[in-house]
Amino acid sequence: MQDADYVQSAFSRIARRYVLTNHVLSMGIDVLWRKRVAAIVAGYQPSSVLDIATGSGDLAEAVAHACPEAQVVGADFCLPMLQEAQKRGIPDLVVADGTDLPFYDNSFDALTVGFGLRNMSSWPVALQEMRRVVAPGGPVVVLDFSLPRPPLAAPYRFYLHKIMPLVAGALTGEKDAYQYLSGSIEQFPSGQAMIDLFKESGFDDCVHQPVSGGIASIYVGEA
C-alpha cells in the first residue's frame, strides 16, 4: 500500500517525460507487454473497457487498437497524466481514484491496469472496486513489475536500485520518484501472493503469466 498524496505528486512531476523514460528503462519491452495484455482483453470481445491508472494512456491505446469496436475509458487520479493521455488522442478520460471508482456496478465488460495497482493506497480495496465495476465473467487484467527468480534476481535488483534511479533521474530531473518506484516493486505482491489477493477479492479463474523472465507479470481474474 502506498501514500496516495506522494504518488499523485510524484506522477504529476514526471508526467511530461513519463513515456520516454519508461521506454528507455525497459528498452522498449514494455510496448510488447501492453500488446499482450490487449490481446488477452480482445479474446473476450468486450464492448466496453475501463483502463484505470491509465497515466499517459499507453495501455488504453493498445487496448483500443486490439478492440476497435469497444469503447475504451481511461481513468486516473493524476490530472497532469491525463493531459498527456489526451495528447495521445484517448477520447474518454475521467479523473478518478482506483480505490473509489465513480461508476455503477457492472458498468464495463473488461478492465485493465498497467503499472498502477502497485501505487494505490489499498490493493485489496482497489481489486474489490475493479471487480464491482466489471460485469460477471468479464476479465480484470493487471500488468505490473515483479521480482524474477535466481539467477536473474540479483542483477535485476542491482539495476532496480542502482542504475534505474540514475537514468530516470537524468531523464526527468526527479530521481526521488524513481527511488520510490524501486522500493514499491520490492514491496508489491507477485506470483502466488497476487493470485491469493485476487481470489480473496472474489475473482474466479485467476491466472499468473510472468513475462521477460519474471521482470513483469500479467494477472487475469474473472469477475
Side-chain angles (χ1 to χ4, degrees):
M1 312 335 172
Q2 305 299 339
D3 181 336
D5 291 337
Y6 176 81
V7 171
Q8 190 174 50
S9 171
F11 278 90
S12 295
R13 287 182 276 126
I14 65 175
R16 287 184 297 173
R17 305 284 284 179
Y18 180 74
V19 174
L20 171 64
T21 305
N22 278 355
H23 294 340
V24 170
L25 292 176
S26 71
M27 295 177 287
I29 299 173
D30 61 310
V31 175
L32 300 179
W33 298 341
R34 291 185 181 92
K35 285 184 177 180
R36 183 177 292 194
V37 169
I40 291 170
V41 173
Y44 286 83
Q45 299 182 318
S47 60
S48 59
V49 183
L50 175 63
D51 182 50
I52 64 171
T54 197
S56 52
D58 299 62
L59 183 52
E61 184 177 54
V63 171
H65 285 161
C67 307
E69 302 302 319
Q71 178 192 22
V72 179
V73 177
D76 201 295
F77 79 158
C78 180
L79 181 58
M81 291 297 286
L82 286 179
Q83 290 169 338
E84 295 301 309
Q86 193 172 40
K87 293 176 185 177
R88 299 173 73 90
I90 309 299
D92 297 311
L93 298 169
V94 179
V95 178
D97 189 326
T99 61
D100 187 18
L101 295 169
F103 305 107
Y104 292 117
D105 295 0
N106 308 327
S107 293
F108 298 91
D109 296 325
L111 183 150
T112 58
V113 52
F115 309 107
L117 177 59
R118 172 172 38 84
N119 296 313
M120 294 183 189
S121 59
S122 172
W123 306 320
V125 169
L127 285 169
Q128 289 159 18
E129 274 291 271
M130 294 179 206
R131 183 174 176 272
R132 179 184 67 78
V133 301
V134 173
V140 167
V141 188
V142 174
L143 166 65
D144 219 309
F145 291 112
S146 50
L147 294 174
R149 294 183 177 181
L152 287 178
Y156 178 68
R157 278 194 163 101
F158 179 82
Y159 170 78
L160 194 63
H161 295 288
K162 302 296 183 182
I163 305 300
M164 188 181 73
L166 292 176
V167 174
L171 289 170
T172 65
E174 300 290 346
K175 182 180 177 181
D176 70 299
Y178 285 88
Q179 288 174 325
Y180 151 79
L181 173 64
S182 302
S184 72
I185 293 171
E186 290 277 5
Q187 298 167 12
F188 192 56
S190 62
Q192 187 59 47
M194 180 54 69
I195 291 297
D196 290 343
L197 271 181
F198 263 75
K199 290 179 178 178
E200 289 165 9
S201 299
F203 289 97
D204 298 317
D205 297 324
C206 303
V207 178
H208 167 223
Q209 299 181 17
V211 293
S212 300
I215 290 171
S217 290
I218 297 171
Y219 305 93
V220 184
E222 294 183 354

